[in-house]
Amino acid sequence: MPEQETRATAYTTLAAGGDLRHELEIKRSRFITVLRRSADEDAARSLVADLRKEFHDARHHCSAFVLGADRDIQRSSDDGEPSGTAGIPMLEALVKRETMPGVSDLSDISAVVVRYFGGILLGAGGLVRAYSESVSSALDAAPLVRRSRLRICAVPVPHAQAGRLENELRAAGFVMADSSYEAVNTVLRLALPDNAADIADAGARLAALTAGSAGLLPQGTEWIDTGLDMSSP
């Protein structure tokens, strides 16, 4: 979905990096949960494929994923467990997860629970609880980040002034995106909240820092990880 069409301007996701793994044993069955940050359906489904190869002798590889800033893509699979006892509880654990008090906005995340049957039947209710608890326990240990849609604005400044100005902008609390270099100028890039009031305020603060010699050049929007969610470890 194009960025300008999303209703949400921020959401929570798994921190960039490797997969998170967590294991529970319930009545001798092993439930191995793997969480992966996933930008699209292909990435989400690749986690299932990877784990089918790694845990090729496991009986079930149940999955669920939520994608998009508006969380409009939601899928789940019971993978042979009784209908509704695995995939849906896993999906609900993702969708209903509170990332801040009263806020459930977790997205761009896929979860797979690999089950090794331990010989004791859990029953439908037991399976629902086991798969839900497996994902919830993994999320308890997961590093989460806030991801925000920010307006990127370029600030061209002479090379000799760029380092000082970047330090002052960071000290003033601005989020900096990657810089680029031209023949005469360094182009600093600020990532600002995507609303007119914040952009106007940033322009005024930049003018004050540079005695009016630098201004903001809007360059569209980007989704950027802006910080750790305080509810994560």
Side-chain angles (χ1 to χ4, degrees):
M1 178 181 288
E3 292 166 355
Q4 64 268 26
E5 294 183 8
T6 63
R7 297 181 299 277
T9 58
Y11 62 97
T12 302
T13 190
L14 194 66
D19 299 340
L20 183 134
R21 298 192 174 205
H22 186 272
E23 181 172 341
L24 291 178
E25 181 176 322
I26 301 173
K27 294 185 177 179
R28 299 182 184 173
S29 283
R30 293 175 64 198
F31 292 85
I32 304 167
T33 301
V34 183
L35 304 178
R36 177 178 292 178
R37 179 163 165 168
S38 305
D40 53 37
E41 288 198 52
D42 287 343
R45 296 186 191 285
S46 72
L47 177 58
V48 181
D50 291 346
L51 295 176
R52 285 192 189 280
K53 292 178 182 177
E54 181 179 351
F55 299 102
H56 57 86
D57 56 341
R59 179 171 292 192
H60 304 286
H61 303 77
C62 304
S63 60
F65 57 82
V66 183
L67 305 176
D70 293 327
R71 308 206 298 170
D72 49 348
I73 300 175
Q74 300 181 10
R75 305 280 189 271
S76 65
S77 169
D78 293 313
D79 192 41
E81 293 282 27
S83 179
T85 63
I88 290 176
M90 291 171 60
L91 183 60
E92 289 185 346
L94 296 175
V95 171
K96 295 181 179 180
R97 180 73 176 193
E98 282 199 3
T99 57
M100 293 179 286
V103 176
S104 298
D105 65 353
L106 189 64
S107 193
D108 285 359
I109 187 169
S110 51
V112 174
V113 177
V114 178
R115 182 190 180 195
Y116 283 93
F117 181 55
I120 299 176
L121 295 176
L122 301 182
L127 286 173
V128 168
R129 289 189 295 273
Y131 280 100
S132 177
E133 182 182 351
S134 294
V135 174
S136 294
S137 296
L139 288 171
D140 287 342
L144 302 178
V145 293
R146 194 76 175 149
R147 189 160 175 80
S148 302
R149 188 181 69 209
L150 300 179
R151 177 68 55 177
I152 305 300
C153 293
V155 183
V157 292
H159 295 308
Q161 301 174 20
R164 175 190 61 79
L165 180 58
E166 181 173 358
N167 289 337
E168 290 178 341
L169 290 170
R170 290 185 184 278
F174 287 103
V175 176
M176 305 298 295
D178 294 338
S179 300
S180 60
Y181 303 93
E182 299 175 345
V184 177
N185 291 325
T186 297
V187 181
L188 303 177
R189 296 170 72 236
L190 276 64
L192 304 171
D194 191 19
N195 63 75
D198 281 304
I199 292 170
D201 180 64
R205 295 175 73 184
L206 177 64
L209 288 172
T210 63
S213 65
L216 298 173
L217 301 177
Q219 293 188 322
T221 59
E222 292 181 13
W223 285 95
I224 295 176
D225 292 355
T226 54
L228 289 176
D229 186 297
M230 297 305 294
S231 68
S232 63

